[in-house]
Amino acid sequence: MNRFKITELGKDVFWLRDAEREHLVRVLRLSPGDLVVGYDNTGKEYTSVIVKIEDKSVTCRILSTDQPDVEAHTSVFMVAGLSKGEKMDWVIQKGTELGMAGLIPLRAKRSIVHIEGKKARDRVVRWQKISSEASKQSHRVQEPEISEVCDWKDLKALLPEDTQWLIPYEEEKSQRLSTVLGMMNGKHPIAVIIGPEGGFEETEVAWARENLGAQSVSLGPRILRTETAALAALTMVLGYFGDLG
Amino acid sequence: MNRFKITELGKDVFWLRDAEREHLVRVLRLSPGDLVVGYDNTGKEYTSVIVKIEDKSVTCRILSTDQPDVEAHTSVFMVAGLSKGEKMDWVIQKGTELGMAGLIPLRAKRSIVHIEGKKARDRVVRWQKISSEASKQSHRVQEPEISEVCDWKDLKALLPEDTQWLIPYEEEKSQRLSTVLGMMNGKHPIAVIIGPEGGFEETEVAWARENLGAQSVSLGPRILRTETAALAALTMVLGYFGDLG
């Protein structure tokens, strides 16, 4: 059954407008009587029947409401040093499927990509769309939010105060991710900070340790590309807390 | 330091020919006196100096020999249902970085891609090249071997007899990967069989259970694309046995 993000939720009905309406009408060519699933990012999903298709909206009558146990119980956020377009797209698409809670794009010192102002905002809109599509594909009921592109100093305010920060770092040789996970609490959010293509500078890791209480960790002896490191770390954290596999 | 796969190893010297020589001369434009690292897929690596560049070969004198602890101790093989080009490329590139021991492309019932004969062999050559490049990038000393494209009946003969087979399957709701890993032995090879885009048919999973002793496992409640499932399963297996993070 096709899945849609609800634009407006009523008592026994919801409406789809704009891009969701377009997708239903023009791409999927659905008609009144067809069944669809709607979700409203609260964790619920609504099995529904299309009752009316109009110029500006599609009306769906809700047949049943579920709260599927599909979301990770431990909130794992990704903070990703800006890397070239395709890598970021991949991390967002795959990270959404795997179960990340949200992603914050970070201007890191070695980020080759420099985006500011409108260009940065447009990029975030595109990333949010990728995340939204991956949410539907993986049957999630809460889409990860892609934050505005930010700087190191903005990070702390973007996540809850009890967030536990991890920073995989090539030069960290003694502290392994698996060891550190054993000392963490899956009831508090976890944020994983991943460097851009060239990795982090030492001063950035030191800043994260001092200002975020971040723990630097090793992902093992093989050198991983930034997108591989991001997805491997996310998989390991979610897996450790029983939220994957 | 740039890394090269050794074409021929002598006593205190090695030679690079063909593609390795081309890469050194034309792409990297190295000269006699430059330092390089050579590896010969035995687990050793050789820090060396270029002494002579000729039309057909590059001669390097070995300065020191190491056996870095960079390879996974548990051999994890991927068996991947043929999927569209880019997905397979990604699984091979990322799987190599993560530490897979090898990959077997499998003609699954729902594989959309059909390749036979020369086309299949050419594809394997290209995949082996991707794996070779990723091996260098991640500083591995044993390149994963990409096998010929095979059918279900060929699988058993391709891996050691004591291989433990896992088959992530969407319809498996009760047995989780993490639970099954707890009953496995990291001293024997593990093979993870991943379906193509449309997943496996039930008869294929039944065949794998009966003929390979494969255990079907769940990767959790979210629907994962084939390439995401492959990398998530590989990460979890390697992570479980201490070979990653």
Side-chain angles (χ1 to χ4, degrees):
Chain A
M1 232 180 294
N2 290 109
R3 302 174 70 85
F4 297 91
K5 182 156 59 166
I6 294 171
T7 313
E8 191 187 336
L9 181 68
K11 197 174 154 1
D12 296 311
V13 78
F14 63 75
W15 294 273
L16 305 175
R17 300 196 185 101
D18 305 319
E20 296 294 307
R21 180 197 166 283
E22 287 295 292
H23 190 65
L24 183 147
V25 175
R26 287 182 199 259
V27 182
L28 301 169
R29 298 171 175 276
L30 301 182
S31 313
D34 287 337
L35 295 179
V36 296
V37 173
Y39 63 96
D40 61 351
N41 276 348
T42 65
K44 294 202 181 93
E45 65 181 27
Y46 309 88
T47 303
S48 313
V49 58
I50 300 172
V51 289
K52 198 161 52 174
I53 296 180
E54 291 169 294
D55 274 4
K56 296 271 175 190
S57 74
V58 172
T59 310
C60 303
R61 186 181 313 122
I62 296 170
L63 305 175
S64 67
T65 302
D66 294 296
Q67 187 132 14
D69 188 17
V70 71
E71 294 294 330
H73 298 97
T74 297
S75 297
V76 185
F77 294 89
M78 302 299 294
V79 180
L82 278 182
S83 53
K84 289 190 208 152
E86 210 179 32
K87 295 180 186 199
M88 205 69 163
D89 294 358
W90 239 85
V91 169
I92 289 169
Q93 185 189 68
K94 303 311 174 202
T96 299
E97 294 171 47
L98 291 167
M100 70 177 182
L103 182 138
I104 304 172
L106 172 72
R107 287 187 190 92
K109 290 198 172 169
R110 292 186 185 146
S111 288
I112 300 163
V113 178
H114 295 285
I115 46 174
E116 304 280 345
K118 180 167 185 313
K119 199 172 166 194
R121 286 193 299 276
D122 288 349
R123 195 68 63 87
V124 170
V125 169
R126 198 168 73 82
W127 287 331
Q128 187 65 59
K129 204 175 156 205
I130 291 173
S131 174
S132 183
E133 281 163 11
S135 295
K136 289 174 186 168
Q137 192 271 338
S138 57
H139 293 199
R140 291 188 61 172
V141 288
Q142 288 184 300
E143 292 183 358
E145 191 192 332
I146 313 300
S147 305
E148 295 299 311
V149 180
C150 80
D151 296 299
W152 279 104
K153 64 177 170 40
D154 310 320
L155 272 185
K156 200 164 186 169
L158 286 171
L159 292 183
E161 211 166 316
D162 60 342
T163 297
Q164 308 161 90
W165 302 81
L166 288 172
I167 184 164
Y169 182 41
E170 248 176 69
E171 300 302 321
E172 174 60 60
K173 302 294 183 195
S174 57
Q175 194 160 244
R176 301 175 59 163
L177 172 57
S178 51
T179 313
V180 173
L181 285 174
M183 301 181 293
M184 294 180 89
N185 186 335
K187 290 185 181 141
H188 300 298
I190 295 172
V192 183
I193 317 175
I194 296 285
E197 283 98 339
F200 285 125
E201 291 193 3
E202 204 183 328
T203 54
E204 293 176 292
V205 178
W207 190 95
R209 279 199 198 101
E210 191 166 331
N211 295 280
L212 303 171
Q215 303 220 48
S216 55
V217 293
S218 163
L219 294 180
R222 292 173 292 284
I223 313 290
L224 303 178
R225 282 179 171 86
T226 170
E227 68 276 24
T228 314
L231 298 176
L234 177 62
T235 298
M236 290 190 69
V237 176
L238 288 169
Y240 187 87
F241 289 107
D243 280 319
L244 194 71
Chain B
M1 232 182 295
N2 291 107
R3 302 174 69 85
F4 297 89
K5 182 155 60 164
I6 294 173
T7 313
E8 191 188 337
L9 182 67
K11 196 173 154 6
D12 297 311
V13 78
F14 63 75
W15 293 273
L16 305 175
R17 302 195 183 102
D18 305 318
E20 295 295 305
R21 180 197 166 283
E22 286 296 288
H23 190 65
L24 183 148
V25 175
R26 287 180 199 260
V27 181
L28 301 169
R29 297 170 176 276
L30 301 182
S31 313
D34 286 338
L35 294 179
V36 297
V37 173
Y39 63 96
D40 61 352
N41 275 348
T42 63
K44 295 201 180 95
E45 66 181 28
Y46 309 88
T47 303
S48 313
V49 58
I50 301 172
V51 290
K52 198 160 54 176
I53 297 180
E54 292 169 293
D55 273 3
K56 296 271 174 188
S57 75
V58 172
T59 309
C60 303
R61 186 181 312 124
I62 296 169
L63 304 176
S64 68
T65 302
D66 293 298
Q67 187 131 14
D69 189 18
V70 71
E71 295 294 329
H73 298 97
T74 297
S75 296
V76 185
F77 294 89
M78 302 299 292
V79 179
L82 277 181
S83 54
K84 289 189 209 152
E86 210 178 32
K87 295 182 184 196
M88 205 70 163
D89 294 358
W90 239 85
V91 169
I92 289 170
Q93 185 187 68
K94 301 314 178 200
T96 298
E97 292 172 48
L98 291 166
M100 70 177 181
L103 183 139
I104 304 173
L106 171 71
R107 288 187 191 93
K109 290 196 173 172
R110 291 186 187 147
S111 287
I112 301 165
V113 179
H114 295 284
I115 45 172
E116 303 281 344
K118 180 168 184 315
K119 199 172 167 194
R121 286 192 299 275
D122 288 350
R123 195 68 63 87
V124 170
V125 168
R126 197 169 73 83
W127 286 332
Q128 186 66 60
K129 203 174 156 205
I130 291 172
S131 174
S132 181
E133 279 163 12
S135 294
K136 289 173 186 170
Q137 192 270 339
S138 57
H139 291 198
R140 290 188 62 173
V141 288
Q142 287 184 301
E143 291 183 358
E145 189 190 333
I146 313 301
S147 307
E148 295 300 311
V149 180
C150 80
D151 296 299
W152 280 103
K153 64 176 171 43
D154 310 321
L155 272 185
K156 201 164 186 171
L158 286 171
L159 292 183
E161 211 167 315
D162 60 340
T163 298
Q164 308 161 91
W165 302 81
L166 289 172
I167 183 164
Y169 182 43
E170 248 177 70
E171 299 303 320
E172 173 62 61
K173 303 293 182 195
S174 57
Q175 192 161 245
R176 302 175 56 164
L177 173 58
S178 51
T179 313
V180 174
L181 285 175
M183 301 182 292
M184 294 181 89
N185 185 334
K187 290 185 180 141
H188 300 297
I190 295 172
V192 184
I193 316 177
I194 297 284
E197 283 99 338
F200 285 124
E201 292 193 2
E202 204 184 327
T203 54
E204 292 178 291
V205 178
W207 190 94
R209 279 199 199 100
E210 192 167 330
N211 295 281
L212 303 171
Q215 303 219 48
S216 55
V217 293
S218 162
L219 295 180
R222 292 172 292 285
I223 314 289
L224 304 178
R225 283 179 171 85
T226 171
E227 68 276 23
T228 315
L231 298 175
L234 177 63
T235 298
M236 290 191 69
V237 176
L238 288 169
Y240 187 87
F241 290 107
D243 280 319
L244 194 70

